[in-house]
């Protein structure tokens, strides 16, 4: 069963500033090493549908998601339609700015069988795939930090 994954970072900027950077999904390719494009149809809001283009190495593939949590300056999350994973960003005020926690959770049903096979055959297996995801999460948060602290 895939694990819940988490990465976090402290940013020397207010939650409002971090939210402005992080919730602009058009900027996600600037931050995420696996996102080529992310478009929220009708704008970034609770329930919005997103169309995405992703990449892993030379492999480029489309995905879609739905924003399932939208709390300005606090949190947002989107659920990937293809694999039922939920990606959440939570913002917590700190004495020096904001702590951002990014989490990937897997639906209780687990990943679809076709995806489990793809991970095993094309992405080095579950352990390597999850290690790569955690690395990408940390890269994303590091880039959000740089943008928010400007």
């Amino acid at each position: 069963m895939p694990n819940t994954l988490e990465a976090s970072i402290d940013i020397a900027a207010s939650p409002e500033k971090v939210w402005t950077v992080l919730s602009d999904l058009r900027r996600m390719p600037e931050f995420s090493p696996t996102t080529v494009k992310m478009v929220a149809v009708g704008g970034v809001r609770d329930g919005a549908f997103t169309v995405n283009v992703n990449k892993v190495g030379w492999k480029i593939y489309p995905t879609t998601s739905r924003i399932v949590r939208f709390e300005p300056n606090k949190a947002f999350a989107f659920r990937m339609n293809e694999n039922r994973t939920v990606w959440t960003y939570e913002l917590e005020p700190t004495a020096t700015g904001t702590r951002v926690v990014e989490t990937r959770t897997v639906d209780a049903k687990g990943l679809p069988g076709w995806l489990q096979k793809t991970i095993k055959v094309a992405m080095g297996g579950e352990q390597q795939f999850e290690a790569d995801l955690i690395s990408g999460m940390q890269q994303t948060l590091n880039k959000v930090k740089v943008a928010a602290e400007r």
Side-chain angles (χ1 to χ4, degrees), residues 26-41:
R26 296 169 303 180
R27 293 186 71 181
M28 197 55 77
E30 179 184 333
F31 308 130
S32 170
T34 60
T35 304
V36 175
K37 189 168 188 112
M38 187 169 195
V39 176
V41 179

Side-chain angles (χ1 to χ4, degrees), residues 86-126:
V86 176
W87 292 81
T88 303
Y89 296 88
E90 293 182 303
L91 288 66
E92 304 168 12
T94 66
T96 58
T98 307
R99 171 166 275 234
V100 179
V101 179
E102 179 179 5
T103 309
R104 188 230 38 190
T105 55
V106 178
D107 186 272
K109 296 176 186 175
L111 295 175
W114 66 267
L115 182 56
Q116 291 177 27
K117 290 176 186 168
T118 301
I119 289 169
K120 183 177 182 181
V121 172
M123 298 181 174
E126 187 176 313

Side-chain angles (χ1 to χ4, degrees), residues 9-24 26-32 98 100 138-150:
I9 197 162
D10 289 323
I11 300 175
S14 69
E16 294 80 12
K17 175 81 183 271
V18 175
W19 174 264
T20 298
V21 171
L22 195 55
S23 66
D24 184 353
R26 296 169 303 180
R27 293 186 71 181
M28 197 55 77
E30 179 184 333
F31 308 130
S32 170
T98 307
V100 179
Q138 200 60 59
Q139 288 175 52
T140 298
L141 294 177
N142 288 336
K143 290 178 180 178
V144 168
K145 176 181 174 76
V146 169
E149 290 181 350
R150 279 190 204 134

